[in-house]
Amino acid sequence: MILFIFYNSLQTGTSSGSLSETVTRFLMQFVNKAGFSIDFETFHHYVRKLAHFTEYFILGSWITLSSYVSPLTKRKRLQPFPFLIAVPVIDESIQHFVPGRYGCFSDILIDMSGFFTGMVCLYILILIYIDIRTIIRG
């Protein structure tokens, strides 16, 4: 997932914009059919930000799951918090070197929010799973 995120950051501004515009046009059909009216550029902005959040939601979920499924040692688990900070900062830093792209502090915050939300959601699911397993085993 980290490689996927970095790959997306390495896309030129033109390439990245073209992809997100295609996704926005697709989603805009559903928005219009639902009877909502929103400016394309505004909607496009939110689609781009939601893409950031979603990528990092998945990453946060996977890293949290990995920390429970495959601990590094019996006493010490993989800690997701260094990833919470390092990956978004590196991701946005990469964009400074790509034509037509720029890193942005607000995107780092969105990325971190997605990661943290994914982490918390998965942690809650793990707790529910443990409770259900405990109840079933009696």
Side-chain angles (χ1 to χ4, degrees):
M1 190 64 200
I2 293 171
L3 292 176
F4 175 76
I5 290 169
F6 290 168
Y7 173 80
N8 285 336
S9 289
L10 289 168
Q11 301 304 304
T12 64
T14 304
S15 181
S16 174
S18 176
L19 176 61
S20 65
E21 283 181 12
T22 300
V23 171
T24 302
R25 289 186 203 294
F26 175 75
L27 294 175
M28 196 76 159
Q29 296 172 10
F30 299 102
V31 169
N32 291 336
K33 284 182 184 177
F36 296 104
S37 177
I38 186 169
D39 174 61
F40 180 83
E41 290 303 318
T42 302
F43 190 58
H44 183 231
H45 172 78
Y46 288 116
V47 166
R48 290 184 69 86
K49 300 307 172 187
L50 182 60
H52 276 270
F53 185 89
T54 303
E55 285 178 328
Y56 280 89
F57 180 93
I58 294 167
L59 179 62
S61 299
W62 284 0
I63 288 178
T64 301
L65 180 62
S66 297
S67 74
Y68 281 91
V69 172
S70 193
L72 295 175
T73 66
K74 290 183 181 181
R75 292 186 197 149
K76 192 172 192 175
R77 294 189 181 276
L78 171 70
Q79 293 299 315
F81 290 104
F83 293 95
L84 170 72
I85 298 166
V87 177
V89 169
I90 293 168
D91 178 30
E92 293 302 313
S93 297
I94 287 171
Q95 293 181 28
H96 281 289
F97 303 101
V98 177
R101 302 290 297 270
Y102 63 94
C104 162
F105 183 72
S106 64
D107 284 350
I108 291 174
L109 295 177
I110 291 168
D111 297 344
M112 291 172 75
S113 297
F115 189 104
F116 187 76
T117 303
M119 216 171 69
V120 169
C121 287
L122 194 65
Y123 182 70
I124 290 169
L125 288 174
I126 288 168
L127 291 177
I128 291 169
Y129 170 76
I130 291 169
D131 283 348
I132 291 171
R133 198 175 73 186
T134 303
I135 292 169
I136 291 173
R137 288 187 178 173

